[in-house]
Amino acid sequence: RKIPKKLHIKTIERLRIRLHEALRGEDAQTVFDRFDTNNDGELSAHELRLLIRKSLRIPQSKISDADINKFLKVIDVDANNALTFKELADFAERGLSAFHDVATLGKNFRFLLPPN
Protein backbone atom coordinates (compact mmCIF):
# COMPACT_ATOMS: atom_id res chain seq x y z
CA ARG A 1 0.00 0.00 0.00
CA LYS A 2 1.48 3.31 -1.06
CA ILE A 3 1.89 5.79 1.79
CA PRO A 4 0.53 9.26 1.05
CA LYS A 5 2.88 12.21 1.22
CA LYS A 6 2.25 14.54 4.13
CA LEU A 7 -1.36 15.43 4.84
CA HIS A 8 -2.08 17.93 7.59
CA ILE A 9 -4.05 16.35 10.43
CA LYS A 10 -6.13 19.55 10.74
CA THR A 11 -7.25 19.12 7.13
CA ILE A 12 -8.49 15.63 7.93
CA GLU A 13 -10.36 16.85 11.00
CA ARG A 14 -11.99 19.73 9.08
CA LEU A 15 -13.22 17.22 6.51
CA ARG A 16 -14.58 14.97 9.26
CA ILE A 17 -16.52 17.81 10.85
CA ARG A 18 -18.01 18.94 7.53
CA LEU A 19 -18.93 15.37 6.58
CA HIS A 20 -20.48 14.77 9.98
CA GLU A 21 -22.60 17.92 9.64
CA ALA A 22 -23.65 17.09 6.07
CA LEU A 23 -24.58 13.50 6.87
CA ARG A 24 -26.46 14.53 10.01
CA GLY A 25 -28.67 17.10 8.30
CA GLU A 26 -29.90 14.81 5.57
CA ASP A 27 -30.27 11.08 5.09
CA ALA A 28 -26.63 9.98 4.91
CA GLN A 29 -27.26 7.24 2.37
CA THR A 30 -29.03 9.74 0.10
CA VAL A 31 -26.01 12.07 0.21
CA PHE A 32 -23.70 9.16 -0.59
CA ASP A 33 -25.90 7.85 -3.40
CA ARG A 34 -26.18 11.29 -4.99
CA PHE A 35 -22.43 11.26 -5.66
CA ASP A 36 -22.10 7.54 -6.47
CA THR A 37 -22.67 8.39 -10.13
CA ASN A 38 -21.98 4.91 -11.50
CA ASN A 39 -24.09 3.22 -8.78
CA ASP A 40 -21.38 0.74 -7.81
CA GLY A 41 -21.86 1.30 -4.08
CA GLU A 42 -18.53 3.10 -3.69
CA LEU A 43 -17.17 6.60 -4.17
CA SER A 44 -14.17 6.83 -6.48
CA ALA A 45 -11.64 9.64 -6.00
CA HIS A 46 -13.54 11.67 -8.61
CA GLU A 47 -16.91 11.07 -6.92
CA LEU A 48 -15.44 11.93 -3.50
CA ARG A 49 -14.08 15.19 -4.94
CA LEU A 50 -17.57 16.01 -6.24
CA LEU A 51 -19.08 15.35 -2.80
CA ILE A 52 -16.46 17.53 -1.11
CA ARG A 53 -16.76 20.37 -3.63
CA LYS A 54 -20.54 20.38 -4.17
CA SER A 55 -22.16 19.02 -1.01
CA LEU A 56 -19.61 20.22 1.54
CA ARG A 57 -18.81 23.34 -0.52
CA ILE A 58 -15.10 23.14 0.18
CA PRO A 59 -13.19 24.88 -2.62
CA GLN A 60 -9.86 23.75 -4.03
CA SER A 61 -8.24 26.72 -2.27
CA LYS A 62 -9.08 25.04 1.08
CA ILE A 63 -8.25 21.43 0.16
CA SER A 64 -6.49 20.47 -3.04
CA ASP A 65 -7.44 17.54 -5.26
CA ALA A 66 -4.11 15.98 -4.29
CA ASP A 67 -5.06 16.21 -0.59
CA ILE A 68 -8.44 14.63 -1.33
CA ASN A 69 -6.62 11.73 -2.98
CA LYS A 70 -4.36 11.41 0.08
CA PHE A 71 -7.40 11.55 2.35
CA LEU A 72 -9.02 8.74 0.36
CA LYS A 73 -5.95 6.55 0.84
CA VAL A 74 -5.99 7.21 4.59
CA ILE A 75 -9.57 6.08 5.20
CA ASP A 76 -9.87 3.45 2.44
CA VAL A 77 -9.86 0.34 4.62
CA ASP A 78 -9.74 -2.23 1.83
CA ALA A 79 -7.24 -0.20 -0.26
CA ASN A 80 -9.31 -0.37 -3.47
CA ASN A 81 -9.11 3.41 -4.12
CA ALA A 82 -12.82 3.88 -3.40
CA LEU A 83 -14.93 4.46 -0.29
CA THR A 84 -17.93 2.45 0.78
CA PHE A 85 -20.79 4.12 2.61
CA LYS A 86 -19.61 2.44 5.82
CA GLU A 87 -16.05 3.75 5.46
CA LEU A 88 -17.28 7.30 4.89
CA ALA A 89 -19.92 7.21 7.63
CA ASP A 90 -17.50 5.66 10.15
CA PHE A 91 -14.95 8.39 9.42
CA ALA A 92 -17.60 11.14 9.71
CA GLU A 93 -18.72 9.79 13.06
CA ARG A 94 -15.47 8.72 14.71
CA GLY A 95 -12.59 10.22 12.73
CA LEU A 96 -9.36 8.38 12.12
CA SER A 97 -9.81 6.24 15.22
CA ALA A 98 -12.47 4.36 13.24
CA PHE A 99 -9.69 2.96 11.07
CA HIS A 100 -6.38 3.02 12.90
CA ASP A 101 -5.31 2.65 16.47
CA VAL A 102 -3.24 5.60 17.59
CA ALA A 103 -0.09 3.51 18.12
CA THR A 104 0.11 2.43 14.47
CA LEU A 105 -1.16 5.61 12.84
CA GLY A 106 2.23 7.30 12.75
CA LYS A 107 3.91 4.15 11.44
CA ASN A 108 1.47 3.70 8.56
CA PHE A 109 0.92 7.28 7.44
CA ARG A 110 2.94 10.46 7.34
CA PHE A 111 1.04 13.37 8.82
CA LEU A 112 2.12 16.92 9.14
CA LEU A 113 1.20 17.59 12.74
CA PRO A 114 0.69 21.16 13.91
CA PRO A 115 3.41 22.52 16.19
CA ASN A 116 2.66 22.54 19.92
Side-chain angles (χ1 to χ4, degrees):
R1 182 170 171 167
K2 189 173 181 178
I3 298 172
K5 299 265 187 202
K6 292 181 179 181
L7 179 60
H8 202 290
I9 199 79
K10 284 187 175 183
T11 301
I12 293 172
E13 184 57 16
R14 279 194 303 266
L15 270 174
R16 188 200 69 75
I17 290 167
R18 296 289 289 274
L19 276 168
H20 183 72
E21 290 169 354
L23 297 180
R24 200 177 50 180
E26 189 176 343
D27 177 59
Q29 187 69 54
T30 301
V31 173
F32 183 90
D33 291 345
R34 183 179 314 128
F35 294 95
D36 180 16
T37 56
N38 64 356
N39 298 312
D40 66 352
E42 298 180 319
L43 295 181
S44 66
H46 173 73
E47 292 166 332
L48 179 61
R49 278 193 300 277
L50 289 175
L51 183 148
I52 289 170
R53 302 277 183 246
K54 293 183 178 187
S55 184
L56 304 184
R57 296 185 178 126
I58 300 175
Q60 192 163 2
S61 62
K62 297 290 183 186
I63 182 169
S64 69
D65 288 349
D67 279 348
I68 292 172
N69 291 336
K70 292 172 197 173
F71 167 72
L72 172 79
K73 290 179 189 294
V74 169
I75 68 169
D76 180 19
V77 173
D78 56 9
N80 69 342
N81 290 320
L83 296 180
T84 64
F85 174 73
K86 181 173 177 8
E87 288 170 328
L88 193 64
D90 283 351
F91 171 75
E93 187 63 33
R94 299 188 330 227
L96 290 175
S97 64
F99 304 97
H100 310 283
D101 68 58
V102 177
T104 61
L105 238 173
K107 294 177 188 172
N108 294 327
F109 300 100
R110 295 179 192 150
F111 292 104
L112 178 60
L113 297 172
N116 291 333

